[in-house]
Amino acid sequence: MDTQFLRAFYDLASWIRLTPLLNGPYLPFSAWSLRPGALIKLLDDIALGDRKVLVECGSGTSTIVFARYLAQRGYGNVLSLEHDEKWARWVNNQLAQEGLSEVARVVHAPLAEHPAAVKRVEWYEPGTVEDEIGAFTDKHGKIDLLLVDGPPGWEQGRKMARYPAVPALKDHLAPGASVMLDDVNRSEGVEITKRWEDECGLAMELDPHGTRTAFGTYPG
């Protein structure tokens, strides 16, 4: 069967499953948003793995969907790092309007030089990451799900922009934590996952449903 047809079918089936979490204020989706199938995979992992401490590199619709699910379930928290101040403000405002600010929060973390970066490609500002992630894990415990969907890595010279996530946050990851990397359909995505495996022991597998993601478990 045609790969594009299978991908479209899986996305449609995922939209149907997401319906209970989309019955609320309008949420914008773009070509850069996580595919519906990727959201479902993460929500399934949160539910079946009883994930409680979620961190996102890159905020968006996923932040609000996760917050809605955790609020329905009754426990769990999300912290998102976002380089775009205007977008961070919009997501935080949406969370506040829905009464979800105690569940999820977006931190504006400008891009800057980072010691874990490859070829000096900017990542989130080290001091902001250290302070915010440190305070978040001190309060809630170690991260048991990490979604790496930012910062943008498609521009020339920024192809390895998402690499620092695991090296920079590994001391905050719980043994057995789930890690998802979006946009692995680009060649640098494969390189990033290979480096994470070689350097951090994090083996990741490409999702077979065309969601553009790779998923793995941190050994700790």
Side-chain angles (χ1 to χ4, degrees), residues 152-182:
W154 59 84
E155 298 173 344
Q156 191 63 33
R158 291 196 50 79
K159 301 298 186 181
M160 296 294 287
R162 297 180 181 179
Y163 163 76
V166 172
L169 300 178
K170 64 181 181 180
D171 290 342
H172 296 285
L173 291 174
S178 293
V179 178
M180 177 179 276
L181 173 66
D182 193 25

Side-chain angles (χ1 to χ4, degrees), residues 18 21 38-48 65-66 69 145:
L18 284 167
L21 295 173
L39 270 174
I40 285 293
K41 186 172 180 64
L42 286 162
L43 287 165
D44 284 351
D45 186 71
I46 293 169
L48 298 174
V65 170
F66 294 154
Y69 173 73
L145 190 149

Side-chain angles (χ1 to χ4, degrees), residues 75-177:
Y75 61 93
N77 294 89
V78 185
L79 181 70
S80 296
L81 302 173
E82 175 57 55
H83 77 286
D84 185 324
E85 186 173 14
K86 182 178 179 180
W87 184 239
R89 187 182 309 115
W90 185 90
V91 178
N92 276 328
N93 287 341
Q94 185 65 36
L95 290 167
Q97 289 174 22
E98 297 189 30
L100 297 171
S101 296
E102 294 299 315
V103 178
R105 184 168 63 94
V106 181
V107 172
H108 175 228
L111 300 183
E113 288 190 9
H114 194 282
V118 176
K119 297 180 181 178
R120 304 186 69 173
V121 177
E122 293 180 334
W123 196 61
Y124 302 109
E125 199 278 318
T128 302
V129 172
E130 182 178 349
D131 291 345
E132 294 289 347
I133 297 294
F136 183 67
T137 54
D138 283 348
K139 182 176 182 179
H140 300 292
K142 289 198 169 187
I143 301 163
D144 54 19
L145 190 149
L146 172 64
L147 168 59
V148 185
D149 193 21
W154 59 84
E155 298 173 344
Q156 191 63 33
R158 291 196 50 79
K159 301 298 186 181
M160 296 294 287
R162 297 180 181 179
Y163 163 76
V166 172
L169 300 178
K170 64 181 181 180
D171 290 342
H172 296 285
L173 291 174

Side-chain angles (χ1 to χ4, degrees), residues 183-197:
D183 298 318
V184 293
N185 52 309
R186 299 191 294 259
S187 60
E188 62 275 6
V190 175
E191 183 179 350
I192 288 170
T193 60
K194 182 65 167 62
R195 292 189 66 149
W196 285 352
E197 181 174 4

